[in-house]
Amino acid sequence: MTDKHDRPETTVTAAGRMSGAHFGAVNTPVYRASTILFPDLASMKPGGQPYSYGRRGTPTSKSLEDAIRELEGGAEVVLVPSGLNACTTAILSMVASGDHLLVTDSVYGPTRLFCDTTLKRLGVETSYFAPDAEIGPLLRPNTRAVFRESPGSLTFEIQDIPAIAKAAHVHGASVLMDNTWATPLLFDAHGHGVDLSIQAGTKYLGGHADVNIGYVSANQSHAARLRETHGNMGLAASGDDCFLALRGLRTLAVRLKRHQETALALTQWLRGRPEVVRILYPALPGDPGHALWKRDFKGACGLFGFELVPVPEAAVAAFVEGMHHFGIGYSWGGFESLILPSHIQRTAAPFRAKGPLIRIHAGLEDPGDLIADLDRGFARLKDAT
Ligand SMILES: *Cc1c(COP(=O)(O)O)cnc(C)c1O
């Protein structure tokens, strides 16, 4: 359906469409299926018929997988029921008892919890490293994989993925990356040396705060292990969720552009506020990760953080509560703006901040309305300080 010269804006509209199928319907419909019937026993043999059992795929899941494969330039894509499951499936497909795993200290919190509990019980040791650390000296003889997330969750440090991939590969370790912030449209993970690219499709792929889904995409040398692990663990995403993710994908490029524009408008405005110490957003000139971001990324999304001057907890609550357009809630990547205080968990190197950290997801509302909302929030903060 797509041409290799197409730009991503075009690819997202065309990828994974099954032209001519389904009576000409533009979108692959939702297939709800567990049992799929065979006309005879011969067609139950490998290669006999394209779909064999709901868990192993339907035309709906295949459309989504095909679309993602085109965007990721990967050899294999597996769909899973959540973003966290994409992280854990990618890790489990790589490690065995006795292995060592290196994980960035700014990793998504639940991924850290998985490593510190379930993975530990399975005999895999995890150690954490500062987002800007050189990983060469940290690699041990039994280091099997390096897990990155760039920019980091909550703190948004950009990491030098090509340099990390080079050091890991020389050592024989695999590189896993949670690429949820940038999506494959804004960071080409496999093109920068990542072996397993992870996406919480819950965020921008779905884009409408109504689906939990995830995927892992593997390059050629990692495809078989990923497919085997995914199959053995019985993982699948539902037909309805695949449909919603595919529908979200069609508008991903235009939404991301708007999310970035609004996040830039908000961060530029916040930068001039006396209540704000610093902004954590690599797209902003002056951010410590800006040069690397410019080198490796094609854009930024709508998620960023900022540090407030030291204020009492009650003042933070007064600021965050009472917003008209920013909801208080987990997750992000939907059309709606969100705001939350961030709680940083570090073990390798402390994250230094004197005041409270706030995370914002800039949604698709009018940027002026959002700025006015924040302005009223700062008035509440001042009253409560
Ligand atoms: C939200 C998120 C996840 C988890 O996605 P769920 O669908 O909520 O499980 C994983 N990684 C990152 C970076 C995320 O922001």
Side-chain angles (χ1 to χ4, degrees):
M1 281 297 289
T2 57
D3 186 283
K4 68 177 181 343
H5 302 297
D6 285 346
R7 292 171 197 280
E9 285 79 359
T10 308
T11 305
V12 295
T13 66
R17 280 168 58 178
M18 295 179 167
S19 57
H22 309 299
F23 304 98
V26 170
N27 298 309
T28 307
V30 176
Y31 278 80
R32 291 198 187 90
S34 53
T35 297
I36 292 168
L37 301 175
F38 298 84
D40 50 39
L41 296 180
S43 54
M44 296 186 90
K45 297 207 164 99
Q49 100 178 11
Y51 301 102
S52 61
Y53 185 50
R55 166 160 49 73
R56 292 152 116 173
T58 66
T60 318
S61 64
K62 184 171 188 306
S63 276
L64 180 58
E65 280 172 10
D66 288 351
I68 293 167
R69 199 176 302 112
E70 285 199 41
L71 290 175
E72 289 280 1
E76 183 73 272
V77 172
V78 298
L79 301 172
V80 295
S82 71
L84 178 57
N85 189 271
C87 297
T88 60
T89 298
I91 293 170
L92 285 174
S93 72
M94 284 297 107
V95 297
S97 172
D99 284 346
H100 171 240
L101 177 68
L102 271 173
V103 177
T104 178
D105 211 14
S106 54
V107 73
Y108 177 64
T111 304
R112 176 189 283 264
L113 188 62
F114 168 79
C115 294
D116 291 345
T117 55
T118 309
L119 214 52
K120 189 175 171 200
R121 180 163 53 73
L122 296 177
V124 177
E125 188 188 350
T126 302
S127 56
Y128 297 92
F129 58 95
D132 60 352
E134 291 253 346
I135 64 150
L138 306 172
L139 291 159
R140 304 179 191 170
N142 63 338
T143 304
R144 185 67 195 82
V146 181
F147 189 104
R148 314 287 322 202
E149 189 182 320
S150 179
S153 264
L154 306 178
T155 44
F156 304 97
E157 300 93 338
I158 292 283
Q159 294 143 40
D160 191 341
I161 301 296
I164 290 153
K166 200 168 160 207
H169 289 153
V170 165
H171 191 80
S174 300
V175 180
L176 285 56
M177 176 170 173
D178 185 334
N179 193 28
T180 300
W181 187 87
T183 82
L185 260 56
L186 305 181
F187 182 76
D188 173 13
H190 292 305
H192 286 88
V194 171
D195 299 303
L196 292 178
S197 172
I198 295 157
Q199 185 73 205
T202 306
K203 309 291 164 58
Y204 283 120
L205 198 56
H208 294 74
D210 52 10
V211 59
N212 274 113
I213 196 167
Y215 74 78
V216 187
S217 147
N219 60 15
Q220 196 70 49
S221 56
H222 291 68
R225 274 289 278 271
L226 176 67
R227 174 59 66 189
E228 178 195 87
T229 307
H230 179 265
N232 287 347
M233 299 215 307
L235 293 164
S238 83
D240 296 82
D241 292 344
C242 290
F243 180 89
L244 288 173
L246 198 53
R247 166 183 275 221
L249 176 68
R250 302 301 179 210
T251 57
L252 180 61
V254 284
R255 283 187 288 112
L256 279 173
K257 208 172 268 176
R258 170 68 179 226
H259 285 296
Q260 166 171 305
E261 275 168 23
T262 301
L264 275 170
L266 298 191
T267 50
Q268 274 154 6
W269 181 81
L270 284 164
R271 192 153 63 168
R273 295 290 310 198
E275 302 90 343
V276 174
V277 176
R278 63 173 157 162
I279 312 281
L280 310 170
Y281 189 51
L284 207 57
D287 185 276
H290 187 67
L292 272 181
W293 171 79
K294 233 173 148 168
R295 188 193 72 184
D296 293 346
F297 288 65
K298 297 190 202 98
C301 73
L303 193 75
F304 64 90
F306 62 95
E307 181 186 343
L308 286 169
V309 294
V311 288
E313 213 169 295
V316 175
F319 176 65
V320 166
E321 294 169 0
M323 294 282 181
H324 278 102
H325 304 299
F326 293 87
I328 303 172
Y330 293 117
S331 204
W332 45 276
F335 55 84
E336 81 289 12
S337 287
L338 297 167
I339 191 164
L340 265 188
S342 304
H343 302 287
I344 313 295
Q345 197 185 2
R346 289 293 164 88
T347 51
F351 181 80
R352 295 188 196 286
K354 291 204 182 77
L357 285 185
I358 304 287
R359 186 184 79 177
I360 279 185
H361 177 250
L364 301 179
E365 303 88 344
D366 178 82
D369 289 342
L370 296 176
I371 288 172
D373 211 11
L374 291 170
D375 196 34
R376 290 188 295 264
F378 282 127
R380 290 192 301 274
L381 181 137
K382 187 161 172 258
D383 288 346
T385 301

